[in-house]
């Protein structure tokens, strides 16, 4: 069985990482249009660096939760049966990987990587970035940015995502509000392909109507329950 899983900030909420649109979410304190756009970075790069440096510190102190671990268990079981999980995450954290998921696609990039705006080099990044940094590959000064996809920028691996979705028998959306495109459009694409759709979330998302089935509750309870039910039902 091949399952396509889309995750959002809600799966990492109980690991202590903020969501975007909940009342106490990250964007409630910061305006994304002032921080998560290339224009914002061009206008005030150090301010944007400080926003991501703060979130990187938080991530390094966080640990995966039972929801991340349940998806890693699902992947191990299905791979053992010649199936698999295509885990497409909107999140820029590495909690899926630290929980043991092997095939993770970060469509919005990764907070623990830097990207050189001059030569395109990517490098692991667990430290603060600033305008005083130089690129280890090309030596340019003040050219590094977090390797994340900002509003108005093309998400990573769109063709790979759509090919994986077409090859799946089940589409599962976990911990996302369904507010940001193109990720929010994947459930409609799944439906148009005749693929069963399932939502696992704290509360119904903006596109809850598009799902065949749903399970609501905190991810640390709902995701392990969902995985157990899916593995037992086959
Ligand atoms: C694109 C990375 C062109 C950085 C993010 C005007 C100008 C420019 C673009 C647009 C525009 N108008 C519309 C657009 C398109 C735009 C968009 O969709 N805007 C929205 C606001 C309308 N999209 C883009 O710009 C994208 N690129 O369009 O390029 C293109 C596209 C296709 C083809 C060709 C060209 C790029 C978008 C990526 C932006 N980068 N993040 C960073 O992280 O700082 S987006 C950001 O929001 C996050 O990454 C996240 O992925 C995304 C969605 O948030 P969620 O993950 O869903 O989190 P949220 O807080 O919203 O919801 C949390 C959910 O969890 C809730 O439902 C809650 O109930 C639940 N929850 C909470 N606690 C728990 C829980 N569930 C379970 N358990 C819990 N404990
Ligand atoms: Zn460079």
């Amino acid at each position: 069985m091949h399952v396509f899983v889309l995750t959002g900030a809600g799966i990492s909420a109980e690991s202590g990482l903020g969501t975007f649109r909940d009342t106490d979410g990250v964007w409630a304190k910061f305006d994304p249009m002032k921080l998560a756009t290339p224009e914002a970075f061009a206008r005030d790069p150090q301010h944007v660096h400080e926003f991501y440096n703060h979130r990187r510190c938080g991530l390094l102190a966080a640990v995966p939760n039972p929801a991340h671990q349940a998806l890693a268990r699902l992947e191990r079981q299905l791979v053992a049966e010649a199936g698999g999980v295509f885990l497409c995450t909107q999140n820029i954290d590495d909690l899926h990987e630290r929980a043991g998921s092997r095939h993770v696609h970060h469509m919005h990039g990764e907070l623990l990587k830097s990207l050189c705006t001059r030569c395109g080099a990517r490098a692991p990044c667990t430290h603060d970035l600033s305008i005083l940094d130089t690129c280890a590959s090309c030596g340019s000064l003040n050219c590094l940015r977090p390797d994340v996809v900002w509003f108005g920028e093309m998400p990573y691996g769109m063709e790979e995502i759509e090919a994986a979705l077409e090859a799946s028998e089940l589409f599962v959306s976990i911990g996302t509000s369904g507010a940001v495109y193109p990720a929010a459009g994947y459930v409609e694409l799944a439906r148009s392909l005749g693929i069963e759709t399932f939502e696992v979330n704290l509360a119904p998302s903006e596109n809850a109507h598009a799902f065949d089935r749903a399970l609501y509750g905190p991810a640390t309870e709902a995701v392990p329950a969902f995985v157990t039910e899916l593995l037992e039902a086959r």
Side-chain angles (χ1 to χ4, degrees), residues 7-11 13-14 19-22 27 33 36 51-52 55 90-92 108 148-155 158 174-182 200-205 217-220:
T7 63
I11 198 167
E14 291 162 272
T19 63
F20 291 84
R21 288 164 189 84
D22 293 332
W27 299 133
M33 287 307 161
F51 173 58
Y52 285 96
R55 288 172 67 190
Q90 300 174 86
N91 300 337
I92 61 174
H108 291 166
V148 300
V149 176
W150 285 325
F151 288 99
E153 295 185 325
M154 179 82 84
M158 302 272 290
I174 300 173
T176 182
S177 62
V180 172
Y181 288 83
V200 182
N201 207 45
L202 186 62
S205 66
T220 53

Side-chain angles (χ1 to χ4, degrees), residues 217-228:
T220 53
E221 296 166 18
V223 179
F226 166 78
V227 167
T228 299

Side-chain angles (χ1 to χ4, degrees), residues 17-224:
L17 300 188
T19 63
F20 291 84
R21 288 164 189 84
D22 293 332
T23 45
D24 60 344
V26 174
W27 299 133
K29 304 182 189 90
F30 301 94
D31 178 353
M33 287 307 161
K34 291 196 177 63
L35 282 163
T37 66
E39 296 78 14
F41 187 65
R43 185 170 54 247
D44 187 351
Q46 191 54 32
H47 183 49
V48 174
H49 278 314
E50 284 159 9
F51 173 58
Y52 285 96
N53 291 343
H54 174 69
R55 288 172 67 190
R56 192 178 298 104
C57 281
L59 172 53
L60 294 173
V63 295
N65 66 53
H68 300 105
Q69 289 154 359
L71 291 183
R73 173 164 63 94
L74 177 65
E75 180 188 71
R76 281 193 300 274
Q77 185 61 40
L78 293 185
V79 166
E81 302 165 6
V85 171
F86 186 88
L87 179 45
C88 179
T89 186
Q90 300 174 86
N91 300 337
I92 61 174
D93 65 55
D94 65 335
L95 297 182
H96 283 304
E97 291 90 338
R98 281 199 260 154
S101 287
R102 307 289 294 275
H103 189 174
V104 183
H105 178 71
H106 286 273
M107 66 179 292
H108 291 166
E110 297 177 73
L111 183 54
L112 299 184
K113 281 187 183 162
S114 64
L115 172 64
C116 176
T117 56
R118 296 271 161 66
C119 71
R122 287 183 169 85
C125 177
T126 53
H127 55 275
D128 284 358
L129 284 178
S130 91
I131 57 175
L132 302 177
D133 289 311
T134 53
C135 170
S137 298
C138 70
S140 304
L141 174 64
N142 186 17
C143 58
L144 299 184
R145 60 173 275 183
D147 184 21
V148 300
V149 176
W150 285 325
F151 288 99
E153 295 185 325
M154 179 82 84
Y156 292 155
M158 302 272 290
E159 287 176 13
E160 183 189 357
I161 292 170
E162 287 165 19
L165 184 51
E166 285 164 9
S168 299
E169 293 115 78
L170 178 64
F171 173 85
V172 190
S173 176
I174 300 173
T176 182
S177 62
V180 172
Y181 288 83
Y186 290 149
V187 61
E188 291 298 346
L189 178 57
R191 293 182 66 83
S192 70
L193 294 165
I195 296 169
E196 185 185 6
T197 55
F198 204 115
E199 176 171 66
V200 182
N201 207 45
L202 186 62
S205 66
E206 294 186 20
N207 45 21
H209 61 279
F211 290 91
D212 298 314
R213 294 182 60 202
L215 180 61
Y216 295 119
T220 53
E221 296 166 18
V223 179

